[in-house]
Amino acid sequence: MAIVEKEFYPEKNKILLAVDCVIFGYREGELQLLIFKREVEPLAGQWSLVGSIVDKEEGVDESAHRILKDITGLERVFLEQLHSFGAASRDSGGRVVSVVYWSLIQSPQNQQISIKNHEARWVPFDQVPDLILDHNQMVEMAIAKLRDFARYRPIGFELLPRKFTLPQLLKVYEAIYQRSIDDRNFRKKILATGLLTKLDIKDKATSKKGAFLYKFDKKKYEHLLKSGYWFEI
């Protein structure tokens, strides 16, 4: 659809619209956050969430997907709108409203090539530095949302490879909640959901005995949701 250039509200102040992305990854038993050094003034060179001003001819969702692909090279990953931040004085560069998205991606160690053109890095969640503007507040809101979702939606699977072991899945949830979780109780609950398919192969990377690999049955989960199923772990 063509953009209408005629100004219908010339007397109103113009407000810029930005998108900022809270991008979580999981590596070596740790929940990690992707941050980068801001490339434009004001506050250029300081640590920031990944973000950008929304282009005139793109939607907000399109902008979020563009930013994610530009920084990580990834598409078709978990990405949801979280909240909007619009305090009048939040950005010294101008009147800017930010729409925040949060995302979960697998294996951050595989994204080094994609982020090499930006001064970006993965940092453990408990070592996130002071970020610009209200970005630390955005991160706090996103982790609260992730922990809430993890109780009722099998969101942890978004952080693992397609095939995984139960110990690996347990470690993801421990990383999300930043605490130990009883192994036997966790296995009982997760297997009772019926959302895992056990494979006839084992991962022997950590022991000779090995651990059976599983797959998450996403189609079954979507079908159960339509019938009123409520996941709880």
Side-chain angles (χ1 to χ4, degrees), residues 17-53:
L17 183 63
V19 162
D20 288 298
C21 296
V22 182
I23 304 173
F24 292 119
Y26 174 77
R27 183 183 184 187
E28 298 176 354
E30 292 183 321
L31 186 67
Q32 300 196 346
L33 177 73
L34 185 62
I35 59 176
F36 82 146
K37 287 196 172 180
R38 184 171 165 106
E39 299 170 341
V40 298
E41 294 291 355
L43 306 175
Q46 297 189 36
W47 289 114
S48 166
L49 291 175
V50 176
S52 170
I53 298 295

Side-chain angles (χ1 to χ4, degrees), residues 64-184:
H65 284 282
R66 170 180 59 80
I67 292 167
L68 190 66
K69 183 180 179 181
D70 179 50
I71 297 296
T72 69
L74 296 177
E75 298 180 276
R76 298 181 181 179
V77 298
F78 177 87
L79 181 69
E80 283 194 357
Q81 191 175 127
L82 177 67
H83 193 68
S84 61
F85 286 71
S89 60
R90 63 173 298 273
D91 192 328
S92 61
R95 184 69 173 95
V96 184
V97 173
S98 175
V99 180
V100 182
Y101 286 73
W102 66 297
S103 177
L104 302 174
I105 69 175
Q106 299 173 2
S107 305
Q109 63 268 34
N110 295 330
Q111 309 311 320
Q112 297 306 313
I113 295 176
S114 299
I115 67 176
K116 70 179 181 180
N117 293 325
H118 302 269
E119 195 169 352
R121 70 174 60 171
W122 290 99
V123 294
F125 180 73
D126 59 359
Q127 297 177 28
V128 176
D130 288 335
L131 305 176
I132 65 168
L133 308 176
D134 43 15
H135 287 196
N136 285 97
Q137 185 181 349
M138 295 174 182
V139 174
E140 291 174 5
M141 184 174 291
I143 189 63
K145 188 72 170 181
L146 171 58
R147 288 170 178 166
D148 185 53
F149 268 34
R151 291 178 56 207
Y152 303 111
R153 290 174 55 177
I155 204 72
F157 301 106
E158 301 284 354
L159 294 167
L160 284 172
R162 184 167 164 267
K163 300 175 183 178
F164 53 86
T165 66
L166 292 183
Q168 288 171 339
L169 182 60
L170 173 63
K171 286 185 178 298
V172 166
Y173 278 86
E174 289 182 331
I176 290 173
Y177 288 109
Q178 298 283 288
R179 62 176 174 83
S180 297
I181 297 174
D182 182 73
D183 179 56
R184 292 183 64 182

